[in-house]
Structures are given as C-alpha cells and as structure tokens.
Amino acid sequence: CPPRALALGLEHEDFLLAMAPHPVTILAKERDFFDVRGSREAFGRMKHVYNLLGHGDHVSLFIGPTDHGFSVENRTAMYQAFSKAVGRKIPDDEPPLIVEEKETLQCTKSGQIAERDPKMIADFTKEKAIRLGQQRRRLAMPELAKVVVDVLKMPERIERPPGYRILRHISRPNLPIKYATHYVVETEAPAAAICTMLYDERHHARPVRVGNRALLYVSHRSSDSELQSLAWLRDDVVAARDSGAMCFACDVRGIGESQPNTCGIDTFDDVYGCDYFYAANSMMLDRPYLGQKVWDVLRTIDWLVSFGYTEIDLVGNGWGALISTFAALLDESVAKVKLVDRLESFESLATDPDYQMPLAYMPLDVLKHFDLADCDRALVGKRR
C-alpha cells in the first residue's frame, strides 16, 4: 500500500514501468482472486509505452491456468523470460526440485537470527522517533492548528451545515436518558456519521433546541454499547442533562452504527478486515483515515451549531479521545473537552515494539511535525 499512490494516479504498471526499457514479464493466474483482467489491462498499457520506446518485445504477459500461487507453469515462464533476457538457451521444462533440509538452509547455528543479537526494525523506528522528538520545534497556536490540518489532510471548512436524515425510531435498552433519536449526518457524502440525541421524551423530528449548551460524546467503538455500559459516561450524560445541556453521541465513519459491512460481515477486528482496508486506502489516497474521522466530528459540531448549540462540551473515549483532541483544537465552539483513555503520544507507539493501535489512528509523518503533548498544551492554554 504505497503512501499517496492513488492520489498520484499510479497503477500497478506504473511501478513496473520504472524498469523500462528493460525486459519485464508479468506472471498472472487465470483462476486467481486477483482478476486477470487487471493484468491484461496493465500489460496493454505497458506494451504501448514499450512500443513508444522501441522495445515492444521486452514486455510480455503469461497467464497460468491454475489458482493463486507460483505454480510450475508460472515458474517455467519465469525461467524462459530470464534465459531469453540474458541470451541463454531457453529450458523446456523445470528440472526436478530438491527440497533442502531445514538445517542446510539455516544461516545461524540455531536457525534463529536472535542469537546474533540483531538490530530489529522496531529499534530503527524507536531511534528515529526519539531523534525527531529532539529535533522538533514546540508549536503553539495558531501554527499548530495549521500543521495539524496539513498532517491530517483536512479539507477546507464549509460554512453551510451538513445535510441530515432522521432514522426511524429504534428502542435502546438501558440508556442513561430514556429516549434516543438517531440522525445520519452527511459529513462528506457518501460518508456519514451517526449522531444520537438523548431526550426525556420520544422525539422523531429535527433536534430539540434547549439553551445553547450541548454535550457531544465521541465513542471508542460504539456509542450505543458505551452509553449502556460505562458508568462514568452515564453519570456525565445525566449531569449534563440536569445542568440544562442537550446530550448527543457520535459514531464517526467506520465506528459503531457507521461501521461498514464491506470486506465481509463483521470483519472490523480481522487482520485484513474493513478497518484495515479503509485505513490503507485512505493512506494511498493521501486522506488519512484519522483526519476523515476528525472531519466527521467537526461537521457534526457545525450541525449542532446550526440548531443554536454554540457551546459544545466534547467527551472523547479511547480512539474517540484522539479524534476529540484534534476537534477541540480546531473548533472554537468547543468550550470544554474531556479525554478518557487516550493514547499518551504518537512517540509511545513508535518506541513500543508491541504497540496496540490500528492503522486508522496512525497518521503518516506526524512525528516530523508535532505530538499530542503540543495539542494538550494548546488546549490547556485555551482553558479547555
């Protein structure tokens, strides 16, 4: 998943064309889950460029008849391509394969590189993170806000509030306030956040205006689940209601009620599940997934402001606390922000060989520019 590849309009053949006009053979499979039509299209575009360079015979395509894998047909095509490229006799068949004993292939006595006390990738990452921290300037507002927007690739703020739809009433048990109304806030069509309004009366229309204060909870995994299970959150919601504030909860794109069922059903926690693929594609599109989630909160705040809620108390939990940090930094409507179980710092991820954080919350190059301590100082400076 090369960063920015899709934003730059790159396709598979663009990486192969980096070798032009040297010989290239594309090896594909007829019954692969990677559609062979893509290989044919890539070959056609490569052939066109090689023809323009006067070396059309230097690029070829071989499609093996079987499933995903490096079968004997494809290996034979490889031998033939290499032999042709270096002017050797082209072999007819693959010679008998001899599977070597494991001990023969070992590069160390035990077969484990650890016995040589190696430097691991995590060691290089840690060293670079610490070095960047020592070199990085301390940023203050408003420069920090601009850098955050640049790193998260945030679009320009829109003055008009987002459109929204009102969902049919769905009863929820054990909420801290009796009734809930669910809204689809069209933060960046077709992407949307699901916003829940908690109210003492059954309500099926646009949000109720009660004063100018609102509590907005940004969930970790699911507003619905967390409103029912987290005692501290339930207490916060009831206290806000009793003080005259209206209470809302937000599931940003990819979370809770906004979670997609692409890449298979309920794949969120899978190694190659929906959360990973959305994050990877966002990285290639040069639109960090974290920045998109922050945008959802900012547009939800715009939506609340359009109903007269000009003082927002933002409460973020877990991943939602990371999102809320940036939203509070970038939006003047946020009067207070409460962050629960938030990541300590991005440096802590880069210096921990066994970090536990999805790709969705790890923006590219962030440590070259700032860390969360900069954001926290700015928020304290703004008395939030």
Side-chain angles (χ1 to χ4, degrees):
C1 302
R4 306 184 180 97
L6 296 178
L8 295 169
L10 298 176
E11 258 292 358
H12 290 99
E13 67 271 13
D14 291 296
F15 294 96
L16 297 179
L17 282 169
M19 293 183 278
H22 296 296
V24 172
T25 294
I26 297 174
L27 302 179
K29 285 307 220 40
E30 179 63 41
R31 302 207 306 262
D32 205 328
F33 46 80
F34 295 110
D35 195 325
V36 75
R37 289 176 295 178
S39 302
R40 288 189 179 278
E41 291 170 7
F43 168 69
R45 291 190 285 262
M46 286 191 69
K47 183 76 170 178
H48 174 69
V49 175
Y50 269 71
N51 283 336
L52 293 175
L53 296 173
H55 293 281
D57 60 333
H58 280 195
V59 61
S60 60
L61 168 67
F62 177 82
I63 301 173
T66 54
D67 300 334
H68 182 79
F70 199 25
S71 64
V72 64
E73 300 90 356
N74 288 53
R75 296 197 300 272
T76 300
M78 178 190 70
Y79 305 145
Q80 293 172 348
F82 281 144
S83 298
K84 178 182 177 183
V86 298
R88 296 284 183 90
K89 180 180 180 297
I90 297 176
D92 296 323
D93 298 303
E94 180 180 79
L97 295 180
I98 300 174
V99 179
E100 298 285 358
E101 295 296 327
K102 183 177 70 173
E103 290 74 19
T104 306
L105 301 175
Q106 290 177 354
C107 298
T108 68
K109 184 177 180 180
S110 67
Q112 300 298 321
I113 195 68
E115 72 179 61
R116 303 300 298 271
D117 193 24
K119 200 169 186 177
M120 310 297 283
I121 291 177
D123 297 322
F124 289 98
T125 305
K126 180 177 180 178
E127 287 179 5
K128 184 171 183 179
I130 293 172
R131 185 169 67 251
L132 288 173
Q134 294 168 343
Q135 298 169 351
R136 199 169 53 237
R137 291 189 302 116
R138 269 197 177 196
L139 297 179
M141 298 292 283
E143 184 183 7
L144 175 61
K146 182 180 183 304
V147 170
V148 167
V149 167
D150 290 343
V151 170
L152 297 182
K153 309 290 183 182
M154 306 285 289
E156 189 174 349
R157 199 74 173 270
I158 304 168
E159 290 187 8
R160 65 181 183 278
Y164 67 98
R165 290 178 284 128
I166 306 169
L167 297 182
R168 186 172 180 175
H169 177 73
I170 305 171
S171 61
R172 304 288 197 194
N174 304 319
L175 290 175
I177 298 176
K178 188 172 183 180
Y179 295 106
T181 307
H182 304 281
Y183 302 92
V184 179
V185 183
E186 296 163 349
T187 55
E188 190 179 17
I194 304 299
C195 193
T196 299
M197 183 184 74
L198 301 170
Y199 195 43
D200 290 312
E201 302 174 18
R202 190 183 295 273
H203 187 79
H204 296 288
R206 63 185 179 177
V208 177
R209 167 73 188 277
V210 180
N212 67 341
R213 287 184 54 237
L215 179 145
L216 177 61
Y217 173 66
V218 183
S219 65
H220 172 62
R221 288 286 295 261
S222 165
S223 291
D224 181 45
S225 172
E226 291 155 25
L227 283 166
Q228 295 183 56
S229 63
L230 298 178
W232 67 263
L233 176 58
R234 295 171 65 87
D235 291 344
D236 281 7
V237 168
V238 171
R241 187 271 314 274
D242 292 346
S243 69
M246 183 60 77
C247 298
F248 297 85
C250 179
D251 284 339
V252 297
R253 68 186 74 185
I255 291 296
E257 301 293 331
S258 292
Q259 183 174 317
N261 265 335
T262 48
C263 310
I265 305 298
D266 296 328
T267 67
F268 186 91
D269 292 309
D270 292 355
V271 174
Y272 289 118
C274 62
D275 192 59
Y276 167 76
F277 275 117
Y278 276 80
N281 276 278
S282 296
M283 185 170 66
M284 290 191 289
L285 287 165
D286 205 20
R287 288 282 319 279
Y289 205 15
L290 176 57
Q292 296 177 50
K293 293 169 185 283
V294 174
W295 178 255
D296 286 344
V297 173
L298 293 177
R299 291 299 282 156
T300 299
I301 291 173
D302 291 340
W303 180 70
L304 293 174
V305 169
S306 73
F307 295 107
Y309 292 105
T310 54
E311 291 187 22
I312 312 295
D313 291 349
L314 202 57
V315 178
N317 177 30
W319 301 334
L322 186 57
I323 297 165
S324 297
T325 299
F326 298 121
L329 192 76
L330 299 175
D331 197 294
E332 291 301 321
S333 301
V334 177
K336 293 190 296 184
V337 59
K338 179 176 181 176
L339 307 172
V340 180
D341 290 336
R342 194 201 66 188
L343 173 70
E344 177 187 351
S345 66
F346 289 113
E347 183 176 299
S348 69
L349 294 180
T351 56
D352 184 350
D354 189 30
Y355 63 83
Q356 301 294 314
M357 182 62 72
L359 180 62
Y361 299 95
M362 299 167 65
L364 192 67
D365 288 340
V366 62
L367 288 177
K368 290 182 181 178
H369 304 283
F370 70 91
D371 206 344
L372 294 175
D374 299 295
C375 301
D376 293 341
R377 281 193 298 271
L379 290 174
V380 170
K382 297 175 84 169
R383 300 182 184 275
R384 298 190 184 182

